[in-house]
Every structure is written in structure tokens, then in C-alpha cells.
Amino acid sequence: FSYPMPNKKEQSATHHTLSDEERERLELCRKGYDDTASAQSTLLDKTIISISGAAYTIAIGFIDKIIPLGTAKYTWILWISLSILGLTIIATTLSFWAGEKSARKWREACDTAECKNDYNLFYAAKNDWVKVVCILNNVRLIFFICGIFLLSVFISYNGMIKKEVTKQKHGDTVMS
């Protein structure tokens, strides 16, 4: 979805009353921001339920079936990866919350511009929530990649050890 932006001439002009075209643009922006805030709220609920429920259930249930935690080495890597994945869930939740705040802030800017009959107020508005969303999105991506990487390291290392032990029990050497 693309929000309408005025050209340079429109931005530099001082308006004391809003034209019909400017009112239409503000209404389109307002609707877009309302839709964004609503979508963020819906996504927040679904994401929290989906990720938090699935991440730990799959990680603990799946790993314990393949790699018994009682005999696994370097289990601290597993716990760190699960902690990082938990931080990913928290960062995702905060990102959706900040996205909703950002959409509402832009909506307020639309309302202010319309109320004061000055279209330039909309484009002069500052919204620090946009920066917060951007930072949180980067943080959660980094957390997710690190968590998955560490989980993979744990599974790979312990999976290789299990295969080597199984081969040796059958009389094979590690090299065969």
C-alpha cells in the first residue's frame, strides 16, 4: 500500500484551507493507518500464540526424541538458543506493538492537519515510533538467526556424536 505524497510544489506552498484533493489524501492516509493498526493488533495476537506455543514445544519435544538431553553434551548451547528464541518472541511482540503505535501517531497527524486546515502539518509531523519499529525488526531478525544457528550447532554436534557412538557399538570405526 502506498500513501500519497505531495510533489515539491505542494510541500513548499502554505495552505490555509484544505483542498478537496488534500482532504481525499488525508482520508486515504487515515484509512491506511487505521487498517495498519488493526492488522498489527491482529498479527500480534496470532504471532504470540503461534510462535510461543510452537517454538518451545517443538524444540524441547523434538530434541529430546532425537538427542536425549541426559546424555547430550554442551546443553548450555541449547538453553542459550532457546533463551534467544524467547527474546525473539519478546522483540516480535514489541515490534508489533510499536508498529501499532506508529500507525496511530500518523493517524493523529492526519487528524491534526485536517483540524487545522494545513496539509503541510501532516508532512512536518515526526514519528519516532518508525525508528523503534525498524530497530526492533532488526533486533528480532538477529535474535532469530542466532537462536536458530545455535540450535543447529547443538543438534549437529550431538547428532554426530550419537552416530559415532552407534557406529562403534556395531564394530565400525569412526572413519568407516
Side-chain angles (χ1 to χ4, degrees):
F1 184 80
S2 176
Y3 299 106
M5 299 294 285
N7 60 36
K8 296 282 184 196
K9 192 178 197 181
E10 288 176 302
Q11 283 179 328
S12 62
T14 303
H15 296 287
H16 295 290
T17 59
L18 295 175
S19 69
D20 290 339
E21 182 182 341
E22 290 170 335
R23 286 187 192 285
E24 285 177 30
R25 284 184 181 174
L26 284 173
E27 193 54 42
L28 182 61
C29 288
R30 186 180 291 116
K31 182 181 178 340
Y33 297 130
D34 286 345
D35 291 348
T36 300
S38 176
Q40 289 288 7
S41 182
T42 301
L43 275 173
L44 177 64
D45 294 339
K46 288 180 180 178
T47 301
I48 291 172
I49 292 167
S50 299
I51 292 177
S52 63
Y56 291 102
T57 304
I58 290 172
I60 297 298
F62 179 71
I63 288 174
D64 199 35
K65 300 265 187 258
I66 294 175
I67 303 166
L69 294 178
T71 59
K73 298 201 183 234
Y74 303 109
T75 54
W76 59 270
I77 294 174
L78 171 65
W79 303 124
I80 289 174
S81 70
L82 290 176
S83 297
I84 291 173
L85 288 172
L87 289 173
T88 302
I89 294 167
I90 292 169
T92 299
T93 302
L94 291 174
S95 175
F96 284 126
W97 175 75
E100 185 178 352
K101 289 282 196 186
S102 175
R104 293 197 191 289
K105 183 80 171 171
W106 286 126
R107 173 130 179 14
E108 290 171 11
C110 286
D111 293 344
T112 301
E114 186 173 42
C115 181
K116 298 195 181 213
N117 280 321
D118 189 350
Y119 192 58
N120 289 322
L121 288 175
F122 174 68
Y123 291 97
K126 293 205 175 221
N127 188 348
D128 292 329
W129 287 107
V130 172
K131 292 176 189 173
V132 172
V133 171
C134 184
I135 290 168
L136 286 169
N137 284 340
N138 288 323
V139 165
R140 71 185 176 143
L141 180 63
I142 291 167
F143 281 165
F144 182 73
I145 290 169
C146 291
I148 295 298
F149 174 76
L150 287 173
L151 190 60
S152 299
V153 166
F154 174 78
I155 292 170
S156 295
Y157 180 77
N158 283 286
M160 284 190 271
I161 289 175
K162 187 176 178 181
K163 286 179 186 173
E164 289 174 10
V165 170
T166 305
K167 282 183 179 181
Q168 288 175 355
K169 284 182 182 175
H170 294 299
D172 296 335
T173 65
V174 175
M175 300 300 283
S176 59

